[in-house]
Amino acid sequence: MNASLNNHRSLRFIFSITTLFFFFAMGLGLVQSLSSYHRLPPINSHYMPEITALIENEDYGKVIPQLELASSIDPADTEKNKQLLTKVCSVAAQSLIKSGRFKDAIIQYDRAYRASPDSLDVQNNLAWILATCPDTALRNAPRAVTLAEQAARSTNYADASTLDTLAAAYAESGAFQKAVMTQRKAIELTPATSRSDLQKRLDLYLSGQPYHSS
C-alpha cells in the first residue's frame, strides 16, 4: 500500500515537473518568436535582391527608407547597411543635382553624412553643394567651411579636390584671402592640363567673388 502510494506521488511529481518545463519552453519560444518578428533580417541576405532591383530602377524613394530602417534595427549588419545607405544616398543626390533638384540632393547628402560622417567623399560633396549651390536660399557657408575643413584635414591638405571645395567654402563665407591661398595650393597639386576650371575659380576669388555652380 505504501509502495503504491509512493509510486503515485512520484508519478505526480514527474508530471508536474514535465508540465512546468513544457510551459516554460512554450513561453521562451513565444518570446523568441516575437523578438525575431520585430527584427529585420540582414539586408545583405534577405533584402538584397529587392533593394538591388530598386537601385537599378533608381527608385530611391523606396529603397532609402528601407536602408535607414535596416541600419537602425539590425545590429548584426549595421556597418554594411550604413555603407550601402551612404552609397545609395550619394548616387541619389548626384541624380537629383543633374535634374536641378538641389534641395532634395542636399537632403540625400545629409542622410549619407548621418550614416557615414567620416566619409571623405560625403564631406566633400556636401560641402561643395552647400558652398556653390545656384539657389541662394540653400547655401550654407558656415557648414560648408566646417565640412570642407574636416575633409581637407583628413587628407593632410594634400588633395586638390578637397582643397578646391575648401576654397569655394571660404569664398562663400567672405574669407577671400583664405580662398585664394587654398585655391593656389589646389592648382599646384593638379596636373597642368587639368587646371582650367580651378584657375577660373581662382580668378573669381581674386576679384572678391564666390563661385556658384550653374
Side-chain angles (χ1 to χ4, degrees):
M1 180 68 178
N2 289 337
S4 176
L5 182 61
N6 287 336
N7 287 337
H8 181 68
R9 287 175 178 172
S10 297
L11 288 173
R12 287 182 61 186
F13 176 76
I14 293 171
F15 177 77
S16 297
I17 293 297
T18 303
T19 303
L20 179 63
F21 273 109
F22 174 76
F23 283 109
F24 176 76
M26 284 189 62
L28 182 61
L30 178 62
V31 170
Q32 291 177 337
S33 176
L34 288 173
S35 298
S36 62
Y37 178 79
H38 289 289
R39 182 177 180 273
L40 192 66
I43 200 136
N44 62 332
S45 58
H46 182 76
Y47 280 92
M48 182 56 79
E50 179 184 355
I51 284 179
T52 299
L54 290 171
I55 292 172
E56 289 176 352
N57 292 328
E58 297 185 3
D59 198 346
Y60 306 121
K62 291 182 179 178
V63 72
I64 289 173
Q66 288 193 45
L67 288 169
E68 288 180 322
L69 179 62
S71 297
S72 66
I73 69 173
D74 187 10
D77 280 318
T78 294
E79 192 57 37
K80 291 180 181 179
N81 296 339
K82 286 185 176 181
Q83 289 174 3
L84 183 56
L85 174 61
T86 301
K87 290 179 181 178
V88 173
C89 287
S90 295
V91 171
Q94 293 164 11
S95 177
L96 290 163
I97 288 173
K98 290 178 181 178
S99 61
R101 296 171 59 187
F102 301 108
K103 183 177 180 179
D104 292 331
I106 291 172
I107 290 173
Q108 297 306 335
Y109 271 137
D110 268 325
R111 282 174 157 168
Y113 182 74
R114 287 195 299 273
S116 302
D118 294 327
S119 168
L120 177 63
D121 287 340
V122 174
Q123 293 166 0
N124 192 57
N125 291 336
L126 181 54
W128 179 260
I129 192 171
L130 291 174
T132 69
C133 184
D135 188 338
T136 305
L138 298 177
R139 293 198 292 271
N140 186 332
R143 190 177 182 209
V145 169
T146 298
L147 289 165
E149 287 181 336
Q150 186 178 3
R153 278 196 304 271
S154 68
T155 65
N156 199 27
Y157 298 90
D159 175 75
S161 177
T162 55
L163 290 175
D164 185 30
T165 299
L166 181 56
Y170 281 146
E172 181 60 25
S173 69
F176 290 104
Q177 186 175 358
K178 285 185 176 181
V180 168
M181 292 175 60
T182 304
Q183 191 70 3
R184 281 176 172 162
K185 178 66 174 177
I187 291 173
E188 289 175 8
L189 295 169
T190 302
T193 55
S194 304
R195 294 178 176 176
S196 177
D197 288 340
L198 277 71
Q199 183 62 51
K200 290 177 182 178
R201 285 193 277 277
L202 175 59
D203 293 340
L204 282 174
Y205 307 153
L206 286 167
S207 66
Q209 300 178 63
Y211 169 78
H212 299 144
S213 303
S214 55

